[in-house]
Amino acid sequence: MSLLVVGLSHRSAPVSVLERAALTTDAQVKLVQDTVAAEPAGEAAVLATCNRIELYADVDKFHAGVAELSTLLAQHSGVGLDELTPHLYVHYEDRAVHHLFSVACGLDSMVVGEGQILGQLKDSLALAQDLHSAGRLMNDLFQQGLRVGKRAHSETGIDRAGQSLVTFGLAQLAAGTDVDTWAKGRKALVIGAGSMSSLAAATLARAGVAEIVVANRTYDRAARLAQILNESDDTHVVARAVPMDSVPVELTRADIAVSCTGATGLVLTADAIAAAVEGRTGAPVAEISDDRPAPGTPKPAAGTVGNDENCPLDLTAEQSGFSVMGEAAVAGMGAAELEQHAAWVDNGTVDIREAGRRTPDADAELIDALAATAARIGRIPELRRPEPVAGLVRPAPELFLLDLAMPRDIDAAAHRLAGVRLVDIESLAEASADAPMAADVDQVRRIVADEVTAFGAAQRAAHITPTVVALRTMAADVMAGEIARLDGRLPDLDERQRGEIRQAVHRVVDKLLHAPTVRVKQLAAEPGGAGYADALRTLFDLDPETVASVSRAVDSTDKKDRPE
């Protein structure tokens, strides 16, 4: 069995696709159940956040696994496979481990270094354990991922490189002003009472807002969050809870609104937002031309392909396995083909502009046209940038909106409303792409690389343990049989003599097996060492069922000893 992950994230898909592919809790449960019910998968776990959906599985066949996991993602997300495929990525074996550890450290987050992902990983593992879809591999992988993430945060300054999504979003709303200065004395409306909304409320309280109103479909949860805020010794905010139908009224009073619900439709429409601003100012709200690209508009292609960021395969000399992006992820290419392609890409880059260059005939026509123009007007015309056109000046915002939901809670059309500043997942993704990277990120990458190597060695060593145990069990059985036969042949031996003989035979067997078993564990821990277990089973004619029963016993012990 081998680890496989198929997924999409803010790095591979536009927000419009992520919105439609977002999974409810019930959908995550069904996805995991259907995955372990599928033939290629033995274990499964799903990691679903506001900016990624990833399905992890322990599969026995790569091609069948990729096809099955891709199909299941499409079915449960509601996005057609043809539309989803260009945005999928596939990581296999050590590259899949590397990916999860990078995610756990916040290296793959929209806001690099944020620590919320650790809680989300923990929730994913808990769900898989509850559904009994997490065996040894998933438990080891996610638990080690959590340890690696904690190590990265404790040993480096990765926390300085990033913030939580909430903090980063508020910083974008403040637009260069200190968040505490910007928030002080304002009134805030928090829609939703889940973990992200609770974090937003706590962050706003620490920033110095004067009042927080919490709205939620379940009023009791809103009241509980408001009570926690009121009883906090760290802040002096006044908090109260309201039902969801009070949101339009509260919006007219709020300076800041943060929304993060699990709703499948819009919570705040552009009309409702315009009405709230009009209720505050007493004047109609104008629309301002929004020159931002429409949600889901693909970014221009990079100048080269084959580099570390957009190469379909990401292979390094230190790591086995491979990664695939986009169409190639589900194309069913063989492992050998993928590695050959990666080697070709590593040897050079391809300029995608070559395809768009003019032919010699076209160049000749262009030169003739320029010469004719020069003869007519006495010079070759300059290629000038168009003069910027002065646009309407946006008035100072009356209402600040932060949408942290996926799919979105707040109508994207609010971007065009005068007096409104909206920051959503899409604009956060654009802003984070330009954020400076801290020097600590390189140190975290080294930690991830070391941990991947150690994890692979531990998994390979664990793979041979049942075979070694089965070998020692067979040796013990042979030894017991021979001693019993000796007892029958020499019945006159006293108990002391029998004890000496048993100890001597035990010592001989232990000394003969010690060096080979220690060495085979060392060899098995190295890359490509999986074959040593097969060799051991063949050389000593070990019963495969005996090895399998030892493996099941080890798994059972692991589950019993594992903390809930």
Side-chain angles (χ1 to χ4, degrees), residues 471-489 498 501-507 509-510 513:
L471 173 61
R472 286 190 169 274
T473 301
M474 184 192 74
D477 290 343
V478 170
M479 183 174 60
E482 289 300 317
I483 290 177
R485 191 171 67 165
L486 183 64
D487 288 344
R489 287 185 174 184
R498 294 178 191 280
I501 292 172
R502 277 195 295 269
Q503 287 184 8
V505 174
H506 272 98
R507 284 194 295 269
V509 171
D510 285 342
L513 290 181

Side-chain angles (χ1 to χ4, degrees), residues 80-131:
L81 185 59
D82 289 344
E83 183 179 359
L84 197 63
T85 293
H87 307 295
L88 292 177
Y89 46 77
V90 169
H91 300 296
Y92 190 55
E93 295 181 336
D94 281 3
R95 291 301 305 174
V97 178
H98 187 280
H99 176 74
L100 182 79
F101 288 2
S102 297
V103 169
C105 294
L107 291 179
D108 199 57
S109 295
M110 186 178 293
V111 181
V112 174
E114 59 92 8
Q116 289 171 262
I117 187 64
L118 289 174
Q120 293 161 337
L121 277 172
K122 190 175 181 180
D123 291 343
S124 296
L125 176 58
L127 177 62
Q129 290 173 338
D130 289 343
L131 297 174

Side-chain angles (χ1 to χ4, degrees), residues 333-344:
M333 296 172 65
E337 294 173 272
L338 292 169
E339 293 186 358
Q340 289 172 3
H341 178 68
W344 174 78

Side-chain angles (χ1 to χ4, degrees), residues 35-95:
T35 302
V36 292
E39 182 181 347
E43 303 178 33
V46 62
L47 176 60
T49 72
C50 61
N51 52 39
R52 79 176 61 250
I53 302 166
E54 295 176 345
L55 183 56
Y56 291 79
D58 187 15
V59 299
D60 57 0
K61 298 175 183 176
F62 170 71
H63 300 286
V66 171
E68 188 67 32
L69 267 59
S70 303
T71 301
L72 287 169
L73 274 175
Q75 289 175 352
H76 290 277
S77 68
V79 179
L81 185 59
D82 289 344
E83 183 179 359
L84 197 63
T85 293
H87 307 295
L88 292 177
Y89 46 77
V90 169
H91 300 296
Y92 190 55
E93 295 181 336
D94 281 3
R95 291 301 305 174

Side-chain angles (χ1 to χ4, degrees), residues 103 117 196 342 348 409 432 442 458 500 506 527 550:
V103 169
I117 187 64
M196 189 71 81
D409 279 349
S432 66
D442 287 338
E500 287 292 339
H506 272 98
V550 172

